[in-house]
Amino acid sequence: MNETKSNEWNAGHYDQKIGYVSRLGQSLIGLLQPAEGERILDIGCGTGDLAWEIARSGAHVTGIDSSEAMVAQAAAKYPSLSFRVDDAQTFRLQPEEAPYDAIFSNAALHWIRRPADAARSMALALRSGGRLVAEFGGQDNIAEIYQGIRSALESAGIDADERNPWYFPGIGEYASVLEAEGFHVRTAELYERPTPLGDGAQGLRNWLDAFAGKFFAGMTEPEKEEAYVRCEAAVRGKLLRGGEYIADYRRLRITAIRL
Ligand code: BEZ
């Protein structure tokens, strides 16, 4: 959802093939406990499904995402909500905007390569006492998939680490980032969430298409196909179960209050 989210986002693909991102984010709304009349900012809103769920509480929700395609799709699906293109690392309250009561973010902050800047933006956007409820990929998230990508790229003479667009911090690291910007961390959990990718043996490809474009940039279609096949071969033994890929997600779920 920021400048480092280097895939060209395809909002249609996201809704059709990666719908589990929003579906699995629903439980985070329970933690947010949105209330009628509250002003809530959804960072990395994607195509707006969770913003819409939050708004059902009667809260006023604004969604931001760095992808124009995502924001356009969100605005088309949910015209009564407010969405805008913005970067988590640099956004500031608009002149007419009052500080928010809460910030919500699902599956977005692992795209933020300058987390301290994002923490600063979030702190500035919240009122004193406002809350942050976020979940994203944590330490060792998708370790098997990443190894598969790395070995596939190695065969093509590419160093995956140089192209890695993701940030998967541990609890201590991310709590420190927030605390440095005046947040009090209330809860933090790093937990395994094996995630079925659906669509049978196509599931890993759908995931790579949606999220891993930066690794395969500049390859011809046959080169990319070969790399996908190598990646699938590398992870199949660990992640293919009953004909479906189960991604080795590990989530960092964190709640904090801005002092
Ligand atoms: C995640 O939700 O953990 C994730 C999604 C895309 C790329 C990397 C991680």
Side-chain angles (χ1 to χ4, degrees), residues 73-257:
Q73 178 112 330
K77 283 163 70 179
Y78 306 113
S80 61
L81 302 190
S82 165
F83 297 99
R84 71 170 188 266
V85 178
D86 223 329
D87 183 328
Q89 295 161 137
T90 55
F91 82 93
R92 293 291 180 266
L93 289 175
Q94 310 282 290
E96 72 282 3
E97 248 179 333
Y100 287 89
D101 297 300
I103 290 177
F104 174 88
S105 183
N106 177 58
L109 295 177
H110 49 244
W111 295 101
I112 305 297
R113 297 300 302 224
R114 301 197 322 267
D117 289 351
R120 163 71 52 90
S121 297
M122 293 191 288
L124 290 172
L126 278 174
R127 68 169 169 78
S128 176
R131 58 207 195 277
L132 168 66
V133 175
E135 179 167 311
F136 57 106
Q139 193 168 36
D140 287 337
N141 189 38
I142 56 159
E144 292 295 340
I145 295 180
Y146 188 69
Q147 261 315 110
I149 293 172
R150 185 189 262 148
S151 70
L153 292 196
E154 208 171 273
S155 306
I158 297 168
D159 181 352
D161 293 346
E162 284 180 5
R163 298 185 171 199
N164 186 351
W166 302 317
Y167 169 65
F168 299 141
I171 288 177
E173 180 179 332
Y174 205 71
S176 299
V177 167
L178 293 177
E179 284 165 1
E181 293 301 333
F183 284 95
H184 263 197
V185 174
R186 289 288 166 85
T187 63
E189 184 185 9
L190 189 63
Y191 71 99
E192 313 278 347
R193 197 199 64 196
T195 300
L197 298 183
D199 214 3
Q202 288 293 312
L204 185 65
R205 283 161 179 266
N206 293 339
W207 191 94
L208 293 171
D209 281 345
F211 298 126
K214 187 170 183 204
F215 293 103
F216 305 97
M219 288 185 171
T220 62
E221 274 309 309
E223 286 167 346
K224 189 168 115 177
E225 174 60 24
E226 186 181 334
Y228 274 26
V229 168
R230 284 183 191 277
C231 181
E232 286 167 337
V235 306
R236 188 174 294 131
K238 293 260 174 60
L239 302 183
L240 192 64
R241 294 281 170 268
E244 182 179 26
Y245 284 97
I246 313 292
D248 51 337
Y249 276 26
R250 183 178 287 179
R251 322 304 293 167
L252 178 55
R253 178 175 276 208
I254 196 155
T255 66
I257 302 290

Side-chain angles (χ1 to χ4, degrees), residues 13-85:
H13 181 77
Y14 188 88
D15 271 352
Q16 287 155 26
K17 303 283 187 187
I18 315 291
Y20 49 82
V21 175
S22 298
R23 225 173 26 252
L24 294 170
Q26 301 262 356
S27 68
L28 199 60
I29 298 176
L31 213 53
L32 176 68
Q33 296 200 317
E36 186 165 2
E38 278 195 317
R39 293 171 34 72
I40 296 181
L41 180 67
D42 179 0
I43 295 185
C45 61
T47 60
D49 293 344
L50 293 180
W52 174 249
E53 285 299 321
I54 295 168
R56 285 158 56 106
S57 66
H60 305 290
V61 185
T62 298
I64 63 170
D65 200 289
S66 67
S67 161
E68 281 182 29
M70 292 291 192
V71 166
Q73 178 112 330
K77 283 163 70 179
Y78 306 113
S80 61
L81 302 190
S82 165
F83 297 99
R84 71 170 188 266
V85 178

